[in-house]
Amino acid sequence: MSRPCPCTSKRTFDQCCGPYLEGRRLPETAVLLMRSRFTAYALGRVDYLLQTTAAEKRAGLDREELASYCKAVRCVGLKIVATEAGGAGDEAGVVKFHASLQHNGKRTLHVERSTFVREEGAWRYVDGETN
Ligand SMILES: [Zn+2]
């Protein structure tokens, strides 16, 4: 499939986040996990969102709530602003991003500094600070 990836990388879904969402590959860096989670929000892939959340935070998530959030919001674009660590050889990392969202017909800019850790070799989202 050659549709553009929802994370707005300008690559195709198959060459970008597709393999991660389909479980064929693990994102090597925190940024790649971040991008794939944005795509999962865009496509309403709640299982992927739960699976890529750090174990300590997963219990606090509500599947229904996540699903209705995904439905209510349109993920327009993603811009990675800064990263700290989060590379192939790291155990933790930080990604700062701007996500353009549309909610109830209104465009908003979600600014977040997200923290990621590696659990059993796989990057997971811990939490984020928004402003
Ligand atoms: Zn992508």
Side-chain angles (χ1 to χ4, degrees):
M1 237 190 316
S2 60
R3 63 177 158 142
C5 192
C7 80
T8 60
S9 60
K10 298 197 172 77
R11 293 195 291 161
T12 65
F13 179 69
D14 277 357
Q15 290 172 335
C16 189
C17 299
Y20 307 133
L21 266 70
E22 287 153 12
R24 286 190 277 127
R25 226 195 289 160
L26 283 176
E28 268 175 40
T29 64
V31 170
L32 289 174
L33 179 71
M34 166 64 229
R35 302 199 79 92
S36 69
R37 284 178 50 88
F38 181 86
T39 295
Y41 272 108
L43 300 177
R45 299 284 294 272
V46 176
D47 285 337
Y48 187 80
L49 293 170
L50 292 171
Q51 177 200 320
T52 56
T53 299
E56 51 166 322
K57 300 283 177 184
R58 200 176 301 146
L61 291 177
D62 185 286
R63 170 180 294 271
E64 296 301 313
E65 227 169 75
L66 261 177
S68 51
Y69 178 79
C70 291
K71 263 187 213 131
V73 85
R74 196 160 77 81
C75 300
V76 180
L78 174 67
K79 194 172 142 201
I80 306 295
V81 183
T83 62
E84 296 162 35
D90 293 316
E91 293 299 314
V94 168
V95 178
K96 193 174 173 200
F97 65 93
H98 292 176
S100 303
L101 306 172
Q102 195 166 316
H103 195 240
N104 295 328
K106 254 179 51 183
R107 191 71 74 95
T108 57
L109 188 68
H110 175 87
V111 177
E112 183 174 325
R113 184 181 180 278
S114 299
T115 306
F116 297 87
V117 290
R118 202 192 279 276
E119 285 179 353
E120 291 166 13
W123 284 106
R124 305 278 192 236
Y125 172 74
V126 181
D127 56 15
E129 288 165 26
T130 55
N131 39 341

